[in-house]
Amino acid sequence: MGLTLSQKIIKNHLVSGDMTPGSEIGLKIDQTLTQDATGTMAYLQFEAMGLQRVKTELSVAYIDHNTLQNGFENADDHRFIQTCARKRGVRFSRPGNGICHQVHLERFSVPGKTLIGSDSHTPTCGGMGMLAMGAGGLDVAVAMGGGTYYIPMPKMVRITLNGKLPAWSAAKDIILEVLRLMSVKGGVGKIVEYAGEGVKTLSVPERATITNMGAELGATTSIFPSDEITRRFLAAQGREQDWTPLAADDDAVYDEEYVIDLSTLKPLVAQPHMPDNVVKVKDIAGMKIDQVCIGSCTNSSLMDMMKVAAILKGRTVHPDVSLAIAPGSKQVLNMLAANGALAAMIDAGARILESACGPCIGMGQSPKSAGISLRTFNRNFRGRSGTADAGVYLVSPETAAVSALTGVLTDPSEWGEAPQITMPDAFTVNDNMIEMPYSAAEAESHDIYFGPNIKEVPKGHALENSIDKQVVLKVGDNITTDHIMPAGAKILPYRSNVPYLSRFCFTVCDEQFPERCKEMQGGFIIGGANYGQGSSREHAALVPLYLGVRAVLAKSFARMHKANLINSGILPLEFADPADYDKIDQMDELVLQDIRDAVESGKTTATVFNKTKNETYTVSTDFSDRQRAILLAGGCLNYIAAQD
Ligand code: MIC
Ligand code: SF4
């Protein structure tokens, strides 16, 4: 039996486990990336583990999220990361160089290699044929130190793309169609592989748009084959030597299959407040809009920007619309400046932002009250834009640019001639904003800078045999990490200050949560299906840990958040019978009986007694041996310390 593309890469990097779907496998990681909002914590954890130098083939620290700097906090954290990177052997992408995923795709991605990043959109490099996965900062720190990365062996999904996109339909519309078909939980525990003749019609940045938003499916990652188009992209980046061809075997077996005929795809839009709430643009066209934002790691490549510039050229942004554009990298911005496209954008009235995440994570450009914002981004969760009652719609750059001119959501295919943009034979390459680390010998005489914004990393404590606590919060399905630990301009600068962050934990769902949790000295959270979907931010586990949360009982968990909970020493417990979810109310008193014994002895279930209702439920404790050891120790840092 043949292998799928990702099974081949997994096989080449397998350190432990067998490749049976669902069972834990350990992988050797070739490359890591961090960004600054999760990176501070990742490097603090690297330091806490007492590691001296990174052992990967390549590790890069990017500064792209926390770039508003409206206080000393961000600049302090940037300096911490920079001095740590220099000392520990990590390349440092300076602020201004661009969004981690765009820069990594351009400058460092290599087909067939493994990459983990402390950001959920790390699968962007799947567009290059890499096995690229998002992970919590602690897992990235462990991998930087040469440690193994563990995931449940994913099931395999094949999406066959036939035909060719019509004019005005875009790669964004392909992934929105996949989201419509599979939903935000459809990819959990799976890798999505793209195949078929249609693949050959897509450039590497277009493929990267699709794999980027595979994160919104909850997928472990998504991947395209490495072919002639991949080779040409690498050659244009001056890195042809990094190319190797890669494809699935013809007789590879998949667990699930979809077929999409590209030629029938119309421009699509994801409506508030979930990326899978997808309809055709034409079905809701005419809706008045207040803002358009173009950029983010999903849609900020040179090709995307060139299309936008061609649409805007010689025209003016509608008077009721604010248009913000953030090119994804210094390379993109430089080339736009050199070829005149930037001038066309500026002339049309676009507000040009630095090459960074910016509005995507609520760092500026929040829409007006109840405003309607069209964005080429990947997430439209409630409140993420910084305006609680705004409605964010996710669209392609083409739909965004045309709508910015008309002032209403517009199907671009009804607007005029589509711009014809071709990929350049050579990109402008200048890696002067990527700083190389010190040699190991040089590093010895240099210190790491710790600013006053950096507070201690919270640590769990060894698991007790019985935990008797109240339910401090009950929430529904698809709770995102943005609900658990919101970001945005007021909060994101404090990612290395967990006590401060704790004031905002879950406030999107319940403003009283932090206070209640403190008063009750923590307790349990009851969640629905796909609890913790979205970002990789381990703060969504570390902050509840700080507030005393001991376990989350849910119908199911998102992969990265489950790993982050375990790393923090919080028990992620799935209901054996999902109907039990309905029987529990907030404030019920629950007892996790003999929980330590259950985890220690390898039992796959444990009993929960509801004292308030006098009922008993069964939850799954089906953890790997490694996860059991971490939970017993009260988190990964304790576990590692005990091993030394
Ligand atoms: C996001 O898009 O939500 C982020 C901000 O990039 C996060 C990481 C973080 O919270 O710092 C992600 O996607 O992992
Ligand atoms: Fe940055 Fe947005 Fe991409 Fe997250 S999704 S990495 S915030 S651009």
Side-chain angles (χ1 to χ4, degrees), residues 6 16 58 60 73 135 154 208 256 289 295 316 325 390 458 483 492 530 532 581:
S6 31
S16 65
L58 175 93
V60 190
E73 293 85 2
E256 224 174 290
I289 57 175
T316 302
I325 303 181
H483 291 100
L492 207 61
N530 201 21
Y581 165 89

Side-chain angles (χ1 to χ4, degrees), residues 35 64-65 99-101 119-121 212 216 295-298 356-362 377-379 384 537:
Q35 41 91 334
D64 54 0
H65 280 63
I99 305 175
C100 55
H101 309 303
D119 193 282
S120 63
H121 290 102
N212 170 285
E216 276 52 66
S296 90
C297 56
T298 317
C357 301
C360 178
I361 191 58
F377 306 167
N378 46 38
R379 291 187 173 142
R384 184 172 155 106
R537 67 187 71 146

